[in-house]
């Protein structure tokens, strides 16, 4: 369902997906000439699966006049996906991998003449990286990816039609988190995400 007005707009949807013999990944071990055996992810058809989801987006204009525009946008998703058997007892009832149950994103934007600033908050719930839903494993190749929240800020100003100056600070709160695990380069194991960082940009546009 969706609706749009001058000050407020929203979009909400509910869905269900059925997968037949879904392709997934789960850890196994293969022979290795040096290590005797090593852990790998096997990607194959695992089991039937079903996903329920709710997604929504709301945008609200807070202030709007001749020179200023301030709006606030929120989007969120709630999902529940599980393997439903098909004679595979290893994954039956387990959550589908790489599917956070809750995601929340919000951004406050201010526009003033030729300037624009924004503050964005992203939150991603915990998720598993394999179909067996392992929480932890000594090599770090597979396991849970914990929930994390990130705050970003940005500002840019357009001096004229040719020159734009911008600055962006990512991960303002300097949170420690990761979004993936790797079996090979640059792993194996957890791949940490960047800490607090600032980026400046000076853009020249050809007339």
């Amino acid at each position: 369902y969706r609706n749009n007005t001058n000050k407020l707009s929203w979009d909400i949807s509910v869905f269900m997906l059925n997968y037949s013999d879904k392709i997934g990944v789960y850890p196994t071990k293969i022979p290795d000439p040096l290590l005797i055996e090593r852990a790998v992810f096997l990607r194959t058809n695992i089991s039937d699966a079903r996903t329920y989801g709710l997604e929504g987006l709301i945008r609200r204009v807070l202030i709007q006049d001749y020179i200023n525009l301030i709006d606030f946008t929120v989007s969120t998703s709630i999902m529940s996906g599980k393997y439903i058997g098909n004679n595979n007892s290893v994954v039956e009832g387990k959550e589908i991998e790489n599917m956070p149950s809750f995601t929340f994103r919000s951004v406050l934007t201010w526009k003033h003449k030729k300037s624009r600033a924004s503050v964005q908050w992203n939150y991603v719930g915990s998720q598993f990286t394999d179909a067996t839903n392992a929480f932890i494993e000594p090599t770090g190749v597979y396991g849970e990816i914990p929930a994390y929240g990130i705050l970003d800020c940005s500002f840019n100003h357009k001096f004229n039609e040719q020159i734009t100056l911008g600055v962006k600070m990512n991960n303002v709160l300097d949170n420690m988190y990761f979004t993936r695990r790797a079996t090979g380069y640059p792993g194996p194991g957890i791949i940490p995400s960047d800490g607090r960082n600032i980026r400046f940009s000076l853009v020249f546009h050809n007339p």
Side-chain angles (χ1 to χ4, degrees):
Y1 178 77
R2 65 178 57 180
N3 190 26
N4 296 298
T5 65
N6 291 333
K7 293 289 186 178
L8 180 66
S9 60
W10 68 84
D11 189 320
I12 299 176
S13 59
V14 179
F15 63 89
M16 181 189 74
L17 296 175
N18 273 319
Y19 299 89
S20 179
D21 210 14
K22 182 184 182 299
I23 294 177
V25 295
Y26 66 92
T28 187
K29 294 182 178 180
I30 62 173
D32 186 277
L34 298 178
L35 304 176
I36 301 178
E37 61 181 17
R38 62 186 177 92
V40 297
F41 271 137
L42 178 63
R43 184 179 298 274
T44 184
N45 297 91
I46 294 180
S47 171
D48 293 346
R50 180 175 297 133
T51 299
Y52 298 95
L54 169 67
E55 295 180 334
L57 183 146
I58 301 175
R59 178 179 180 270
R60 170 69 175 177
V61 176
L62 303 177
I63 298 175
Q64 185 173 17
D65 54 36
Y66 293 106
I67 60 175
N68 291 290
L69 173 62
I70 300 177
D71 62 49
F72 184 62
T73 302
V74 173
S75 66
T76 187
S77 68
I78 302 173
M79 289 192 286
S80 175
K82 292 186 177 182
Y83 289 101
I84 54 178
N86 196 27
N87 298 323
N88 191 335
S89 60
V90 176
V91 300
E92 184 175 2
K94 302 290 187 179
E95 296 181 15
I96 296 175
E97 65 275 18
N98 300 312
M99 179 184 293
S101 59
F102 181 71
T103 303
F104 178 85
R105 306 184 190 280
S106 62
V107 57
L108 179 66
T109 304
W110 170 63
K111 299 177 183 177
H112 176 77
K113 295 182 178 179
K114 296 182 178 181
S115 299
R116 175 188 174 96
S118 67
V119 178
Q120 181 171 320
W121 170 257
N122 295 324
Y123 176 85
V124 180
S126 61
Q127 56 192 293
F128 295 103
T129 56
D130 73 285
T132 66
N133 291 181
F135 273 94
I136 191 171
E137 191 269 339
T139 66
V141 172
Y142 56 91
E144 183 190 30
I145 295 179
Y148 60 90
I150 300 298
L151 179 67
D152 300 325
C153 299
S154 67
F155 174 82
N156 62 68
H157 178 76
K158 188 174 184 180
F159 291 97
N160 51 47
E161 295 300 321
Q162 284 76 44
I163 301 176
T164 301
L165 177 67
V167 58
K168 182 174 184 180
M169 179 180 289
N170 298 312
N171 196 1
V172 176
L173 302 179
D174 199 26
N175 289 338
M176 299 178 62
Y177 71 105
F178 64 95
T179 62
R180 58 186 288 249
R181 296 174 182 264
T183 57
Y185 182 85
I190 293 171
I191 308 299
S193 295
D194 294 332
R196 183 188 299 118
N197 61 91
I198 303 176
R199 181 177 64 194
F200 296 92
S201 64
L202 182 61
V203 181
F204 294 90
H205 302 275
N206 291 325

